[in-house]
């Protein structure tokens, strides 16, 4: 409880949400910003009822079906993993394909498990909204250096993803414009008396 309150005092002035893992009672007692629960913890629907509509609720998932149920039960986001093998926790691996399948559900997803600066771009390319790391930072010889490298990798990956999305949007707009022009030309050609009327 004291640890939770100390984290809140540190993070609140910086507008950083504090999410409590598993312990809904602690989250309520210290007025944390939210809680993250697993599949074997208190059901998501009950967690939402306990915390109310304004707190953040996250749920650990491995499959699109679990993610869809979490969303239906009131979760704000899902944690998906382990994406890669990890020494932090004994967990089966869903891989990038499983991660992409869960992201397609539509609920914001956070990738966890074997994620670090070395594969941040690849993981973010799957469509996730965030990365959750433990050993990538805390198992490093220098936590601050590892954190900075991770932040740099994430910023670069997000910048590249933004550029790709912008290019895709521009491409889409060009296709739409071409389709509109083609339709307009066809309509003009089909006017009575035009040579191409029968072709259109």
């Amino acid at each position: 409880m004291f640890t939770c309150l100390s984290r809140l005092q540190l993070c609140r002035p910086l507008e950083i949400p504090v999410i409590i893992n598993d312990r809904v009672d602690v989250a309520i007692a210290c007025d944390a910003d939210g809680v993250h629960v697993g599949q074997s913890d208190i059901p998501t629907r009950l967690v939402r009822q306990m915390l109310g509509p304004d707190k953040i609720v996250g749920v650990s998932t491995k499959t699109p079906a679990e993610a869809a149920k979490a969303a239906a039960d009131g979760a704000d986001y899902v944690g998906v993993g382990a994406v890669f093998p990890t020494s932090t926790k004994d967990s089966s691996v869903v891989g990038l394909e499983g991660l992409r399948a869960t992201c397609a559900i539509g609920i914001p997803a956070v990738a966890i498990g074997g994620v670090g600066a070395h594969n941040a771009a690849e993981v973010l390319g799957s469509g996730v909204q965030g990365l959750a790391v433990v050993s990538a930072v805390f198992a490093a010889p220098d936590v601050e250096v590892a954190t900075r490298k991770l932040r740099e990798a994430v910023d670069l990956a997000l910048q590249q993803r933004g550029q790709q999305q912008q290019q895709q949007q521009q491409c889409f707009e060009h296709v739409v414009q071409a389709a509109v022009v083609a339709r307009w030309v066809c309509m003009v050609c089909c006017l009575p008396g035009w040579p191409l009327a029968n072709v259109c």
Side-chain angles (χ1 to χ4, degrees):
M1 181 67 178
F2 174 77
T3 301
C4 176
L5 291 173
S6 65
R7 297 298 183 270
L8 284 168
Q9 291 173 356
L10 176 67
C11 294
R12 282 270 164 84
L14 301 174
E15 298 183 352
I16 299 174
V18 175
I19 308 298
I20 304 300
N21 192 44
D22 297 337
R23 296 291 302 273
V24 182
D25 56 339
V26 173
I28 293 173
C30 68
D31 191 30
D33 298 290
V35 68
H36 185 96
V37 295
Q39 291 294 313
S40 59
D41 295 324
I42 299 175
T44 307
R45 189 177 296 276
L46 180 57
V47 173
R48 173 56 71 197
Q49 291 174 356
M50 295 170 68
L51 292 182
D54 299 325
K55 297 295 185 179
I56 301 170
V57 175
V59 181
S60 296
T61 64
K62 286 187 174 296
T63 67
E66 289 178 349
K69 185 177 188 309
D73 288 345
D76 296 294
Y77 75 92
V78 293
V80 187
V83 180
F84 303 109
T86 175
S87 59
T88 304
K89 187 176 183 180
D90 185 17
S91 176
S92 59
V93 174
V94 301
L96 289 173
E97 184 176 348
L99 182 60
R100 282 191 288 268
T102 298
C103 288
I105 295 299
I107 183 172
V110 176
I112 188 171
V115 178
H118 64 289
N119 56 18
E122 186 179 24
V123 175
L124 286 168
S126 67
V128 295
Q129 302 300 115
L131 309 178
V133 302
V134 180
S135 58
V137 171
F138 292 106
D142 190 316
V143 171
E144 181 179 354
V145 171
T147 303
R148 290 186 184 280
K149 287 183 178 180
L150 178 61
R151 176 60 187 268
E152 291 171 359
V154 169
D155 286 346
L156 179 60
L158 291 177
Q159 181 182 7
Q160 292 174 341
R161 186 166 77 173
Q163 292 173 345
Q164 291 174 348
Q165 291 175 341
Q166 185 177 14
Q167 291 173 351
Q168 291 173 350
Q169 179 63 26
Q170 290 174 344
C171 181
F172 173 76
E173 290 174 356
H174 291 158
V175 170
V176 171
Q177 290 171 359
V180 171
V181 170
R183 178 62 177 166
W184 181 82
V185 170
C186 185
M187 290 175 64
V188 171
C189 290
C190 291
L191 291 174
W194 278 71
L196 297 179
N198 292 333
V199 175
C200 293

